Every structure is written in C-alpha cells, then in structure tokens.
Amino acid sequence: MKKLFIILACVCFCAVGCKQQTTQQNSQNHENIESDVNIADMIFCQSCCMPLADDLYGTNADGTVNEDYCKYCYMDGAFTAPDLTMEEMIAICIPYMVEQGMAAEDARYILESTLPNLKRWQ
C-alpha cells in the first residue's frame, strides 16, 4: 500500500512540477518537454518532487506538518518507504510517466536530473 502512495506521488510529480522545472534548466537538450504550469511559487516534496498543497503535506512524529515532504513519502516522522532507493523510485515512476504521455527517455532524463537535487536523495 505504501509503495502505491509513492507511485501516485511520482505520477503527480511527473505530470506537473518537475517536468517544467527540468525543461527550463535543460531546454537545449530536451526542447520537446513542455508544460503550461507556472512553478515559481510552488513548493515540492523533497522526496518525489510532487507539488505540495495544504492537504498533501507529510507529518512529523508529533503530528505537526512537515513542510519538506508529502504525505505519500513521509508520515508520522518517517519515510513511508524507508528502504526505497533513488534508482527504485526512478524505475517505479517511468512507466507512470509514459502512461501520462511522456516518452520513456524523457521521463528517465527528468527523474535522473531532478531527484538527486532533492533533500532525501542528497
């Protein structure tokens, strides 16, 4: 069940936020990746890069909101899939990004370019 939440988070991340962020940073190499989403004021999960809204924040051990992670990646002060590697996250996400209409090569490129910069994976 917890892996399902991670997968859902990846789908959201792929379809919305990091897609444009990576596109802006790497437009020379992947001009075909585009998005209409304005990410200037958005906050992203530091594990899966899903855009965070009020109802999507994870929680600390004391029940307070954790502003770094989404509820699918982090609950009650711990990662929901603590043994998940970045490579496993990438492998899980690619098929769902492809399902959303992205080429597998572009999906891998986005994930490999973005995830290492997130707090969880550093």
Side-chain angles (χ1 to χ4, degrees), residues 41-116:
D41 298 320
M42 296 179 82
I43 298 171
F44 297 91
C45 174
Q46 291 297 301
S47 176
C48 68
C49 201
M50 181 172 78
L52 292 173
D54 290 340
D55 60 340
L56 294 177
Y57 284 98
T59 55
N60 297 312
D62 63 2
T64 59
V65 170
N66 183 291
E67 296 184 1
D68 288 329
Y69 300 105
C70 73
K71 65 183 181 181
Y72 304 114
C73 292
Y74 197 82
M75 286 183 115
D76 301 322
F79 287 109
T80 57
D83 298 327
L84 187 71
T85 66
M86 183 171 51
E87 292 76 22
E88 290 171 329
M89 176 76 89
I90 290 169
I92 289 168
C93 292
I94 288 173
Y96 293 94
M97 295 171 75
V98 169
E99 189 176 297
Q100 296 297 315
M102 187 177 295
E105 177 184 300
D106 290 338
R108 177 170 296 284
Y109 178 80
I110 288 169
L111 292 164
E112 290 177 347
S113 298
T114 305
L115 292 186

Side-chain angles (χ1 to χ4, degrees), residues 9-27 30-39 42 44 48-51 96-103 106-115 118:
C10 291
V11 172
C12 293
F13 130 67
C14 299
V16 184
C18 294
K19 184 175 171 183
Q20 181 178 0
Q21 183 178 33
T22 303
T23 300
Q24 291 170 349
Q25 293 171 352
N26 301 294
S27 59
H30 287 74
E31 293 177 9
N32 60 329
I33 304 171
E34 298 177 4
S35 175
D36 295 329
V37 178
N38 181 357
I39 63 166
M42 296 179 82
F44 297 91
C48 68
C49 201
M50 181 172 78
Y96 293 94
M97 295 171 75
V98 169
E99 189 176 297
Q100 296 297 315
M102 187 177 295
D106 290 338
R108 177 170 296 284
Y109 178 80
I110 288 169
L111 292 164
E112 290 177 347
S113 298
T114 305
L115 292 186
L118 300 178

